[in-house]
Amino acid sequence: MVCKAAMGIKAAAKLRFPSSAAAAATARSRLKPWMVRATTTVLLWTCVVQLTAVGNTWGPRVLKGWPSCRTAREAAAVTTARVAMPEAVVEKAALPPKRIYRNNGYLMVSCNGGLNQMRAAICDMAVIARYLNVTLIVPELDKTSFWNDPSEFQDIFDVEHFITSLRDEVRILRELPPRIKRRVELGKFHSMPPISWSDISYYHKQILPLIRKHKVLHLNRTDARLANNGLPLEIQRLRCRVNYDALKFTPQIEELGRRVIRILRQNGPFLVLHLRYEMDMLAFSGCTQGCTPKESEELTRMRYAYPWWKEKVINSFVKRKDGLCPLTPEEIALVLRAFDIDKNMQIYIAAGEIYGGKRRMTSLTSAYPNVRKETLLEPSDLMFFQNHSSQMAALDYLVSLESDIFVPTYDGNMAKVVEGHRRYMGFKKTILLDRKLIVELVDQYTSGSLRWDEFSSLIKAVHSNRMGAATTRTVIPDRPKEEDYFYANPQECLRDPNLLRTS
């Protein structure tokens, strides 16, 4: 019975579960069509993906028109990205390649003075860093001068553009690497002012060994530390590249400057008068022409209050006769009239607060309509620039560059740097005043010994060759301070050197 039962179970099992060989054969017969279809599908989709990925280059055009599975918003975003991509790629490709060199160390820089004094120093220090093969740290700006401006480099200049536009010449970092920064915090660096008007050999022989020894060198008081003349052509041209291409103001300053220029242009041509008649200038120079006795005393007290202003006892009368004083508002009003400047031409005053206020500006205001950034813009526009003299000066710099005529009343740093920039832009009209002759003629006219027509003719004749035309720099061996300033006349960078004439 047991045997019969077992045989019955085996027979039933054979009926329910075929042999393993038969089962495998049946499974293969059923799976084969599915495998073929699956494999074919995978291959087809792989081809589609590959063709779509390279479709812009050689894929069939029909693939480019296939509908997308993305939502409308996603598709729009992708389309926008694709449209913007070429511009982004071009911008990235426009960056110069990084210059590869063995780094000799790190150069930290503390600039001194006003905006344009610091601007020229930044250019020189970038050039020095390049030719010493050192890494330049973004320069620190002066915060302790008369203006007490807390602005950092990035508050005035486009720091990212400064770094990237010069990457093929010099490596520039926002700050020291952490390891090097710790060395500086421990006092393991060397600080010094470089010698004024030095050529590049001084930096190779004297400065480079110090950088190699200390790894980090801090240069302070960096104004006028590179010679005007006697430098290789590539150095002079790099100074220009830094000044005219790499040093751009922040987008906010640039936009506000453009707005001021647009407002001025709506009313026709305009003249920028750099009226250097602020309190600090008069105190520093000791020039008190037209000031009251009380004002003269105030200016003298201020001069003694600043120990780094070395000259204390100054004869204002003698200094003015020697042409070493900025022209007064009264004197410049006569000069502009003598040049036959249209009385309806707008005069933009590029300056800080004029010492003596409305009393001293009466002659100029009655002769010409004059405006300032404070009168052209809303207070809200200048809100973030208040108490930031360098940022305010940057606005004046931009407007000065674009003016039809630029007239500085004193040959300070802004006057010189703007003069040079306007030469670089194509010798835009810049009237370079001969102050010594002007004060002599003004005194003769006001005393009645010179008629107006004679005064006007002489003023025009004296300045016929002082309009910012192309000219060679004056070189005075062993007296670099008396030479023509490089940034006032960067002749090595001018577009048509054949125009140069001997001054």
Side-chain angles (χ1 to χ4, degrees):
M1 291 292 294
V2 174
C3 291
K4 285 184 179 180
M7 292 175 65
I9 291 172
K10 288 180 181 180
K14 286 182 180 180
L15 290 172
R16 290 181 183 177
F17 302 102
S19 67
S20 58
T26 303
R28 281 196 299 270
S29 64
R30 290 178 180 175
L31 288 174
K32 191 176 291 184
W34 285 102
M35 289 179 65
V36 171
R37 284 197 290 271
T39 303
T40 304
T41 301
V42 170
L43 289 172
L44 284 173
W45 275 109
T46 300
C47 292
V48 168
V49 170
Q50 293 293 331
L51 287 171
T52 304
V54 297
N56 288 334
T57 305
W58 57 269
R61 293 184 181 180
V62 67
L63 293 178
K64 300 178 186 177
W66 280 14
S68 172
C69 296
R70 299 184 181 94
T71 63
R73 182 178 296 177
E74 290 171 335
V78 171
T79 301
T80 303
R82 283 178 179 170
V83 170
M85 191 181 300
E87 183 178 351
V89 169
V90 170
E91 184 179 349
K92 186 175 181 180
L95 290 176
K98 287 185 179 180
R99 179 168 173 259
I100 307 300
Y101 59 91
R102 182 178 178 181
N103 183 31
N104 287 319
Y106 296 86
L107 178 63
M108 299 172 64
V109 172
S110 291
C111 301
N112 59 295
L115 174 66
N116 294 284
Q117 189 172 339
M118 293 190 291
R119 183 187 184 107
I122 292 166
C123 297
D124 286 351
M125 292 299 112
V127 169
I128 289 164
R130 189 266 180 243
Y131 283 94
L132 297 187
N133 284 339
V134 298
T135 297
L136 176 68
I137 307 304
V138 168
E140 179 186 27
L141 303 187
D142 192 346
K143 301 178 183 62
T144 61
S145 66
F146 166 81
W147 301 276
N148 198 28
D149 187 344
S151 298
E152 302 287 354
F153 186 99
Q154 62 269 19
D155 297 324
I156 301 173
F157 299 108
D158 186 335
V159 65
E160 191 62 32
H161 178 77
F162 177 67
I163 293 171
T164 57
S165 65
L166 292 172
R167 53 190 255 156
D168 62 328
E169 292 285 2
V170 60
R171 183 183 181 216
I172 305 174
L173 299 178
R174 289 174 180 263
E175 59 181 15
L176 289 166
R179 180 177 60 85
I180 304 298
K181 191 174 183 181
R182 284 193 293 271
R183 287 177 56 92
V184 172
E185 290 169 350
L186 293 171
K188 295 180 179 180
F189 70 100
H190 186 69
S191 182
M192 62 175 287
I195 296 175
S196 299
W197 311 114
S198 300
D199 61 22
I200 201 66
S201 65
Y202 161 78
Y203 288 93
H204 277 293
K205 295 175 183 178
Q206 304 293 326
I207 301 300
L208 185 55
L210 291 173
I211 297 177
R212 285 176 171 157
K213 178 181 177 181
H214 299 281
K215 303 303 180 186
V216 180
L217 180 67
H218 172 237
L219 294 182
N220 52 53
R221 298 193 63 81
T222 53
D223 62 316
R225 303 297 158 162
L226 195 58
N228 290 312
N229 302 295
L231 297 175
L233 182 61
E234 60 269 19
I235 288 181
Q236 301 290 54
R237 288 183 174 172
L238 182 55
R239 291 170 101 175
C240 292
R241 180 179 167 188
V242 180
N243 194 21
Y244 306 128
D245 296 330
L247 276 182
K248 292 185 180 297
F249 295 121
T250 64
Q252 294 82 0
I253 294 175
E254 293 271 351
E255 174 53 35
L256 204 55
R258 285 192 293 268
R259 194 187 310 175
V260 172
I261 294 165
R262 283 196 300 268
I263 294 171
L264 289 166
R265 286 274 177 237
Q266 289 172 359
N267 297 316
F270 67 94
L271 178 151
V272 166
L273 179 64
H274 185 222
L275 187 58
R276 196 67 172 95
Y277 209 75
E278 301 98 339
M279 183 179 183
D280 67 296
M281 182 70 251
L282 300 181
F284 175 77
S285 64
C287 298
T288 58
Q289 174 74 11
C291 294
T292 65
K294 184 178 179 180
E295 289 172 339
S296 297
E297 290 176 9
E298 182 181 40
L299 295 173
T300 301
R301 285 196 303 271
M302 183 179 182
R303 185 164 66 253
Y304 277 89
Y306 288 87
W308 54 87
W309 290 356
K310 296 179 180 179
E311 192 176 13
K312 301 300 182 183
V313 180
I314 299 175
N315 187 321
S316 176
F317 177 82
V318 172
K319 198 162 188 178
R320 176 176 176 268
K321 286 292 186 180
D322 289 339
L324 300 176
C325 287
L327 294 181
T328 68
E330 297 87 354
E331 289 166 344
I332 195 62
L334 288 173
V335 171
L336 294 180
R337 285 178 53 207
F339 278 125
D340 292 332
I341 301 294
D342 190 330
K343 64 180 181 179
N344 295 315
M345 176 175 273
Q346 304 167 93
I347 307 293
Y348 177 90
I349 307 295
E353 184 177 354
I354 301 303
Y355 191 64
K358 291 182 179 180
R359 177 180 68 84
R360 299 305 302 270
M361 289 294 289
T362 300
S363 298
L364 188 58
T365 301
S366 61
Y368 294 96
N370 58 82
V371 295
R372 305 167 59 95
K373 50 189 173 293
E374 293 86 352
T375 60
L376 294 176
L377 298 170
E378 297 295 331
S380 58
D381 294 326
L382 294 171
M383 180 174 60
F384 296 106
F385 294 83
Q386 297 300 329
N387 302 318
H388 294 81
S389 59
S390 291
Q391 296 182 47
M392 296 287 266
L395 285 176
D396 284 343
Y397 187 96
L398 289 171
V399 180
S400 299
L401 287 185
E402 296 300 324
S403 63
D404 297 279
I405 306 173
F406 177 63
V407 183
T409 61
Y410 188 72
D411 56 352
N413 288 291
M414 177 167 171
K416 291 176 180 176
V417 177
V418 170
E419 175 194 343
H421 204 150
R422 287 170 66 87
R423 286 179 184 273
Y424 181 80
M425 294 170 68
F427 309 107
K428 299 182 74 173
K429 190 172 184 179
T430 301
I431 303 179
L432 306 172
L433 300 175
D434 186 331
R435 294 189 304 279
K436 185 174 182 178
L437 280 170
I438 284 174
V439 296
E440 181 181 342
L441 294 175
V442 166
D443 289 346
Q444 290 180 30
Y445 171 70
T446 54
S447 67
S449 61
L450 195 66
R451 298 194 314 271
W452 174 256
D453 57 341
E454 295 173 323
F455 174 75
S456 179
S457 296
L458 287 171
I459 289 289
K460 291 172 187 171
V462 165
H463 294 91
S464 60
N465 291 323
R466 299 174 64 91
M467 295 289 177
T471 183
T472 56
R473 276 197 313 274
T474 300
V475 179
I476 307 176
D478 302 322
R479 288 189 291 165
K481 291 183 180 180
E482 300 175 31
E483 293 180 335
D484 286 345
Y485 189 41
F486 172 81
Y487 291 103
N489 186 10
Q491 65 186 46
E492 294 88 343
C493 311
L494 302 182
R495 295 169 190 176
D496 190 354
N498 295 321
L499 294 174
L500 291 174
R501 58 174 176 77
T502 302
S503 57

